């Protein structure tokens, strides 16, 4: 059943809001996984061949062949679960000011992030709660 025009407009508005709120997440969700299919096929082949070598090594009492099979199986699983490496930036692209504008950073070295007001981070959940409260306060204006 296709979406109505109203539902399509609401969905487009939600996409635009997501893109403006968190561009990195939007990019991650929109990226296609074409390279992943080949990765999974190669991993599957590695696991199957490794399993065969392991069984043949055990049946013929050749420990070295079984060990190679196990290593090949393990490598196939690791290759499947580890994603491709992404290029790392030398440093932050810019600094977001209080008014929302982005100012270019002046150093190539990456500096540790500090919370406004200093002090310790207070933990992951405290940061999430603080972000939630900030969004709720901004939305009510």
């Amino acid at each position: 059943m296709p979406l109505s025009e109203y539902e399509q407009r609401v969905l487009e508005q939600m996409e635009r809001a997501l893109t403006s709120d968190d561009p990195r997440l939007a990019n991650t969700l929109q990226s296609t996984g074409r390279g992943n299919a080949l990765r999974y096929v190669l991993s599957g082949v590695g696991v199957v061949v490794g399993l065969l070598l392991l069984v043949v090594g055990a049946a013929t009492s050749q420990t070295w062949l079984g060990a190679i099979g196990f290593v090949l199986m393990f490598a196939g699983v690791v290759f499947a679960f580890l994603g491709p490496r992404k290029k790392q930036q030398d440093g932050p692209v810019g600094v977001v000011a209080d008014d929302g504008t982005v100012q270019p950073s002046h150093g190539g070295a990456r500096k540790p992030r500090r919370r406004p007001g200093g002090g310790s981070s207070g933990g992951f959940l405290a940061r999430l709660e603080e972000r939630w409260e900030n969004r709720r306060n901004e939305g009510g204006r």
Side-chain angles (χ1 to χ4, degrees), residues 86-123:
K86 296 180 182 178
K87 294 180 182 178
Q88 298 243 347
Q89 293 179 344
D90 292 330
V93 175
V95 178
V96 179
D98 291 336
D99 61 354
T101 60
V102 177
Q103 301 166 347
S105 63
H106 296 291
R110 201 171 264 218
K111 297 178 183 175
R113 289 184 177 180
R114 291 198 175 98
R115 292 180 64 211
S120 62
S121 65

Side-chain angles (χ1 to χ4, degrees), residues 45-113:
V45 168
V47 168
V48 169
V49 170
L51 181 62
L52 288 175
L53 286 176
L54 182 67
V55 170
V56 169
T60 59
S61 298
Q62 295 179 351
T63 308
W64 61 272
L65 191 59
I68 290 174
F70 178 78
V71 168
L72 190 59
M73 281 177 24
F74 184 74
V77 170
V78 168
F79 186 68
F81 283 108
L82 290 181
R85 293 186 179 189
K86 296 180 182 178
K87 294 180 182 178
Q88 298 243 347
Q89 293 179 344
D90 292 330
V93 175
V95 178
V96 179
D98 291 336
D99 61 354
T101 60
V102 177
Q103 301 166 347
S105 63
H106 296 291
R110 201 171 264 218
K111 297 178 183 175
R113 289 184 177 180

Side-chain angles (χ1 to χ4, degrees), residues 117-136:
S120 62
S121 65
F124 177 71
L125 291 176
R127 288 193 308 269
L128 281 179
E129 189 174 323
E130 181 180 341
R131 287 181 186 169
W132 175 255
E133 290 299 324
N134 287 341
R135 285 187 180 174
R136 284 185 58 205

Side-chain angles (χ1 to χ4, degrees), residues 12-24:
E12 288 172 2
Q13 288 175 351
M14 290 170 60
E15 288 175 1
R16 284 193 299 268
L18 172 65
T19 303
S20 66
D21 285 347
D22 196 351
R24 277 196 296 173

